[in-house]
Amino acid sequence: MKEHEQQEFRLENLTCANCAMKFEKNIQALPDVTEVNVNFGASKVRVSGPVSVEDLEKAGAFDGIKVVPIAMKRTIESKPFYKRRENIITLLSLVLLIIGTSISFQTSEADPYAIAFFAASIVIGGYEMFWSGLKNLSRFYFDMKTLMTIAIIGAAIIGEWREGAVVVFLFAVSEALEAYSMTKARQSIRQLMDIAPSRAVIRRNGEIMELGTEEINIGDTLLVKPGQKIAMDGEVLVGRSSVNQAPITGESMPVIKIPGEEVFAGTLNEEGLLEVRVTKRVEDTTIAKIIHLVEEAQAEKAPSQKFVDQFAKYYTPIIILIAFLVAVIPPLFIGDWQTWIYQGLAVLVVGCPCALVVSTPVAIVTAIGNAAKQGVLIKGGIHLEEMGRLQAIAFDKTGTLTKGYPEVTDLSIKPEFTEQDFIRKVASVESYSDHPLARAILNYASDQIIDHSSIEQFQYVTGKGAKALVEDVEVAIGSLQWAEEKTTIQDKVRASVEELQKQGKSVMVVLFNNKYAGHLAVADAIRETSSTILTKLKDLGLKHIVMLTGDHPTTAVAIGQQLNMTDVRAGLMPDEKLQAVKTLRAEFGRVAMVGDGMNDAPALAAATVGIAMGGAGTDAALETADVALMADDLEKLPYTIQLSRKALRIIKENIMFALGLKIVALLLIIPGLLTLWIAIFADMGATLLVVLNSMRLLRIQK
């Protein structure tokens, strides 16, 4: 294997952030390893260099870390809480502690039987911790297990057996809490992995068979019954059905799928039988890409986490120094070595950086996992934090605020004609036209279930319109100016047409036998949700909401007014959009750009956060943007900003909890009130607060 080649592995039993950091250092020390990245959130490791599973498991032996190649399918056995080895050991340690305590209350703490039970409780509950701590101590590596080992041995030496046993038990509970919290946070990824079925019924060369998804090839035909999940990405060949796409896009309403339309692995076929041509291998499906990108996102360290990591580097040596000074300096002046050594040991315990180290990653992992379940892909902790600090947001118009295709928006028909008759004649003429707006009229007729009639003498008049004979009536459809060349148009009709044109709509006047019959307006219609979403963004306190579009200024301004945009900048080429985003950043600091991930790529890249829509349908959106809204609308945008702000607030609270409780406990040294019990409660309390506080992010829904 070449040096630069990478291998990826899944990890089991990776229980704490400190363990992840130590595991990474151990792998880095292996010969020929050039680069290593341990992803604590996703329980994965990526290594550049020739290493084996055995090498990696040796590097993780201190925590019993198991290593599995990424390609190997392995079901992780889920054990009940009461059957887990570490919890059984913790419970046994508690029983021995209770027996020892009851003996010490009846006799004294120095009773040999009480000491025996306390010692047994310490050894059984803290054996693995001591073993790791002693090995770390021999290498002058100071983590929380090293600090705890020194503190417990010190407590035993000065005769504080009961408190030593209590500290071991409470530390074991604290470790279990951290492991439980990360398991809960990682469940978001595991749930994504379980969305798509692992087997499917296919037709290949006329033969029907059931295969594992890894054996299914591009071009095979999936047979999906009502109520079944679709196993692979593909294109509908036969059938019509409503498909629940919520696991991928977060959309609450099912979407009707007809032949030619795309479907995604993991979505639920609700009604009819579908035959689907497979278009992607199992490792390339949209859900596989989402899982990969979510795991990558959880590996990327946010600014807050980088700060905590740097802080922890200096924090631990400082705590050890303070503990040494507390244990040595006061007794030199006032004597009472036992009391001050005890206080020094308590400082070591309270100084464990456990809660501080876990404060940021548990919040980041929880938030990104929750967002993925809601159909929002946030590609890293840094983007999560930046979303929470946005001051301004810029939108592309076409396909973002609008639907991206023209449709009939207004219809005015003279009373003597029915809508069905009017539309049938107009659609019949337009069915022969190649004008871009003709498709809007034909779609409208199709939606109203209005058939076309046969026509004669079709004629296209360049720049003016088209005409033909339909059911013995000459039907002409075109511009107001062309209509006025053929007949007299009433002032109120002209005023109506001009008003629609001011709104940025294309208006076509219809004549039957050279007499005015009605007019209709066609436009790239605003999405039904756009107005509500922009209102929500303003309510969230975003200072500046701007539209950046290459469209004509008249159309852009009209749409901007309907949506109450703060600013509209029209007629922009891609490079001008890029410059506009840079100007906004200079003015407002942090700016998001929302587009389709294709022609808006330069502006998306220049923004503080690039947000692409319709990520489920386009690989480009998944690859280019910092945040991808998997559904093809903006519905999840306010939720994403709200989640990011909440995550930012929780990260800050976590750091304050982790440091604040320790500072309060350390201040108890001054009156000499700090005990090992208080120290471990301060550490465990901080960890518990941090974990529970981070879990609040799971409650944030759209």
Side-chain angles (χ1 to χ4, degrees), residues 87-99:
N87 296 337
I88 293 170
I89 287 171
T90 303
L91 185 62
L92 185 56
S93 174
L94 174 63
V95 170
L96 292 168
L97 171 61
I98 291 169
I99 295 169

Side-chain angles (χ1 to χ4, degrees), residues 384-436:
L384 179 74
E385 290 198 10
E386 293 291 11
M387 279 287 285
R389 297 189 179 105
L390 290 177
Q391 298 297 313
I393 188 162
F395 291 91
D396 173 45
K397 179 185 78 72
T398 307
T400 302
L401 294 169
T402 64
K403 294 180 180 178
Y405 54 86
E407 64 177 27
V408 174
T409 57
D410 300 87
L411 198 56
S412 178
I413 305 169
K414 287 192 76 173
E416 55 259 42
F417 305 112
T418 64
E419 181 180 335
Q420 186 164 9
D421 181 45
F422 180 86
I423 293 296
R424 184 174 64 254
K425 287 184 169 65
V426 171
S428 299
V429 176
E430 292 293 8
S431 66
Y432 280 74
S433 172
D434 59 359
H435 193 281

Side-chain angles (χ1 to χ4, degrees), residues 46 163 235 368 385 404 489 588 605 624:
R46 187 185 294 127
E163 294 209 15
E235 180 186 310
I368 289 175
E385 290 198 10
I489 301 295
F588 295 99
T624 58

Side-chain angles (χ1 to χ4, degrees), residues 345-347 349-350 662 665 674-684:
L345 296 174
V347 170
V349 174
V350 84
K662 292 181 186 298
L674 183 61
T675 65
L676 285 172
W677 297 40
I678 292 173
I680 193 65
F681 268 120
D683 182 63
M684 191 176 81

Side-chain angles (χ1 to χ4, degrees), residues 612-651:
M613 284 178 52
T618 60
D619 290 343
L622 284 175
E623 298 303 326
T624 58
D626 303 317
V627 175
L629 307 176
M630 303 307 288
D632 192 22
D633 67 35
L634 297 169
E635 202 179 345
K636 301 288 182 181
L637 187 55
Y639 152 81
T640 309
I641 292 174
Q642 198 178 353
L643 176 72
S644 301
R645 288 183 177 177
K646 186 81 169 177
L648 258 184
R649 194 157 61 247
I650 280 176
I651 288 167

Side-chain angles (χ1 to χ4, degrees), residues 105-259:
F105 283 156
Q106 289 170 17
T107 56
S108 73
E109 200 174 328
D111 184 287
Y113 291 107
I115 290 173
F117 277 104
F118 289 140
S121 175
I122 289 171
V123 171
I124 289 170
Y127 169 77
E128 289 183 3
M129 178 188 71
F130 294 141
W131 187 240
S132 297
L134 290 170
K135 282 198 288 190
N136 291 346
L137 199 55
S138 68
R139 299 188 189 110
F140 295 99
Y141 176 80
F142 293 96
D143 67 359
M144 57 186 174
K145 290 185 179 177
T146 317
L147 302 187
M148 292 295 293
T149 300
I150 296 169
I152 304 306
I153 292 171
I157 289 169
I158 62 173
E160 296 289 348
W161 288 96
R162 183 170 62 198
E163 294 209 15
V166 170
V167 168
V168 166
F169 166 69
L170 292 176
F171 180 74
V173 172
S174 177
E175 290 270 275
L177 279 172
E178 187 179 344
Y180 174 76
S181 71
M182 286 314 299
T183 302
K184 287 290 286 181
R186 287 172 185 147
Q187 276 177 357
S188 55
I189 294 179
R190 296 219 178 103
Q191 285 167 355
L192 287 174
M193 289 176 176
D194 295 338
I195 283 172
S198 58
R199 298 184 67 79
V201 175
I202 67 159
R203 186 193 299 123
R204 183 186 289 172
N205 301 325
E207 187 181 344
I208 293 176
M209 59 188 83
E210 184 177 333
L211 296 175
T213 49
E214 65 277 0
E215 299 175 74
I216 297 174
N217 299 323
I218 293 172
D220 286 341
T221 302
L222 280 181
L223 305 178
V224 191
K225 294 177 183 176
Q228 284 186 337
K229 281 188 175 180
I230 298 168
M232 307 284 282
D233 282 14
E235 180 186 310
V236 177
L237 291 175
V238 178
R240 175 189 170 95
S241 181
S242 61
V243 174
N244 184 340
Q245 298 191 148
I248 305 292
T249 65
E251 294 168 287
S252 54
M253 297 299 291
V255 178
I256 298 295
K257 297 290 182 179
I258 58 174

Side-chain angles (χ1 to χ4, degrees), residues 467-533:
K467 62 180 182 177
L469 204 61
V470 184
E471 299 170 2
D472 296 326
V473 175
E474 186 187 78
V475 179
I477 175 168
S479 66
L480 175 64
Q481 292 75 13
W482 189 42
E484 287 183 319
E485 290 174 16
K486 292 174 166 290
T487 188
T488 302
I489 301 295
Q490 292 180 351
D491 289 343
K492 67 176 183 178
V493 172
R494 188 183 298 105
S496 172
V497 169
E498 288 171 353
E499 179 58 34
L500 290 168
Q501 287 173 334
K502 282 178 187 173
Q503 295 171 20
K505 297 174 181 178
S506 299
V507 184
M508 290 171 278
V509 178
V510 179
L511 306 179
F512 288 174
N513 291 331
N514 288 332
K515 290 183 180 177
Y516 173 78
H519 63 270
L520 45 84
V522 172
D524 179 7
I526 296 170
R527 292 175 185 268
E528 290 83 355
T529 54
S530 292
S531 181
T532 311
I533 278 140

Side-chain angles (χ1 to χ4, degrees), residues 429 455-461 465-469 474-475 482:
V429 176
I455 69 169
E456 298 173 18
Q457 302 172 24
F458 175 81
Q459 185 182 356
Y460 179 68
V461 184
K467 62 180 182 177
L469 204 61
E474 186 187 78
V475 179
W482 189 42

